[in-house]
Amino acid sequence: MTETTQTGGAAPGAATVAHSVVRLPPGLYFVATPIGAARDITLRGLDILASAEVLAAEDTRTLRHLLDIHGVALSGRPLLAYHEHSGAAVRPRLLGALAEGKSVAYASEAGTPLVADPGFQLGRAAIEAGFSVFAAPGPSAVLAALTVSGLPSDRFLFAGFPPATRAARKTWLREMKTVQATLIFYESPKRVGQMLIDLAETLGQERRAAVARELTKRFEEVRRGTLAELAAGFAGQAVKGEIVVLVDRAATIRAGAEEVEAALRERLVHLRVREAAAEVAEALGLPRREVYQMALRLEGER
Ligand code: SAM
């Protein structure tokens, strides 16, 4: 059966958005949904939501709203709530539907399921039971933020939400200090100011970074600068909305030798070798031992 529905109240002759009801092969379909702008859903994502025999969602109201916007009818199909608290109870029902040869579509509240959202355990259980698992890829705040950050995109580490308490967060951040990749964090607006201070203190004041807020929405904003500048900019500000924080990789001494040498020479005029090395390592987010070796060499040349 194929049904084509026009949505979006398009004027005659204007481009239209359409979805089709199709016969889906049995299996579990993870469908990415918008992180803001409702039209950021793929046509295939809509087809799957219009066609799956069983629907499940982290937030059923949000999914219903999205289906309404795009003119997708539920048509009596079951829509189950599958979230952090209901997962263990609802998973067997979804696996049961898969065992009956049905197609099951799952959407998290926003963005890509499994990315700081439920879905991993469901996907793993489906795979272990031998069912097919499919992705309908689409929006995710990680990639949207990386795209607009101006930071290197060749290699990145998505670290999710940092621990909420300061001591745990700083210990957790220290483990990432020398990672050679752009670091990407999700953070709540309440904590972003303190998070930027902690990032500057643990990874280095001078590291380049970006804060992406409310991407694809009305109050979208991207701030870019060093961690010290961003921390100062957010200090004492009440921030609202959804936020991604991105931090450039640690400079390697080889890559930034001139910068490190200049910083050391400046300090060696008035500091001992050990103190100068400690300050520079801290400011540039570099391994102390390597900076100390460089400082010793420069001191020997003086
Ligand atoms: N599964 C989602 C994804 O693929 O991006 C992420 C879900 S996670 C529970 C929600 C977090 O994602 C927010 O707290 C925020 O850090 C980030 N986020 C989601 N939408 C965003 C947006 N429009 N702009 C900036 N960050 C966003």
Side-chain angles (χ1 to χ4, degrees):
M1 174 176 61
T2 299
E3 162 195 298
T4 301
T5 311
Q6 291 191 349
T7 60
T16 56
V17 176
H19 68 263
S20 303
V21 177
V22 294
R23 186 176 289 283
L24 290 175
L28 174 63
Y29 293 77
F30 285 119
V31 181
T33 56
I35 57 168
R39 288 172 69 82
D40 280 345
I41 174 105
T42 69
L43 297 179
R44 179 166 169 264
L46 285 179
D47 288 351
I48 291 169
L49 292 173
S51 312
E53 291 161 289
V54 177
L55 297 176
E58 182 184 14
D59 184 326
T60 53
R61 271 184 41 188
T62 309
L63 185 62
R64 269 177 201 276
H65 184 54
L66 185 69
L67 296 181
D68 281 349
I69 290 173
H70 293 287
V72 175
L74 261 184
S75 308
R77 294 174 296 157
L79 170 54
L80 307 179
Y82 180 92
H83 47 71
E84 213 183 322
H85 307 292
S86 70
V90 177
R91 220 165 18 252
R93 286 178 66 187
L94 297 176
L95 293 169
L98 292 170
E100 288 167 16
K102 291 192 168 149
S103 50
V104 176
Y106 178 69
S108 59
E109 191 183 347
T112 301
L114 286 83
V115 178
D117 261 345
F120 161 65
Q121 286 180 321
L122 178 60
R124 187 164 66 176
I127 291 164
E128 280 172 2
F131 302 124
S132 300
V133 176
F134 304 99
S140 185
V142 186
L143 293 182
L146 182 65
T147 307
V148 297
S149 67
L151 296 174
S153 58
D154 57 326
R155 208 191 295 174
F156 58 90
L157 172 75
F158 171 59
F161 285 96
T165 64
R166 204 165 174 212
R169 186 162 60 233
K170 288 185 92 170
T171 308
W172 186 79
L173 288 174
R174 264 183 226 112
E175 286 172 20
M176 281 173 251
K177 186 166 176 157
T178 55
V179 170
Q180 288 299 298
T182 295
L183 305 175
I184 308 181
F185 307 95
Y186 285 169
E187 188 50 290
S188 91
K190 272 190 290 182
R191 278 194 284 270
V192 66
Q194 190 58 56
M195 166 71 168
L196 287 165
I197 294 170
D198 295 344
L199 279 165
E201 285 177 9
T202 46
L203 304 187
Q205 307 282 339
E206 297 306 316
R207 271 217 217 178
R208 289 195 310 145
V211 177
R213 194 170 69 84
E214 293 287 89
L215 292 168
T216 77
K217 302 189 206 177
R218 183 158 170 223
F219 296 107
E220 171 163 349
E221 174 195 42
V222 185
R223 296 196 207 175
R224 306 175 185 88
T226 64
L227 281 172
E229 287 164 352
L230 288 170
F234 275 89
Q237 271 195 12
V239 184
K240 285 191 183 155
E242 299 199 276
I243 290 176
V244 183
V245 178
L246 307 96
V247 185
D248 202 354
R249 72 199 62 193
T252 56
I253 292 215
R254 208 176 308 146
E258 280 173 21
E259 187 190 355
V260 184
E261 283 194 14
L264 280 172
R265 284 209 170 89
E266 210 174 274
R267 285 168 177 81
L268 283 170
V269 176
H270 56 93
L271 291 178
R272 288 177 217 262
V273 172
R274 190 170 294 281
E275 291 159 350
E279 267 198 31
V280 171
E282 178 70 23
L284 300 181
L286 292 167
R288 263 177 199 234
R289 264 188 45 205
E290 286 178 42
V291 181
Y292 181 64
Q293 294 303 325
M294 190 183 248
L296 277 179
R297 180 173 57 73
L298 293 179
E299 182 68 0
E301 288 170 8
R302 269 156 53 94

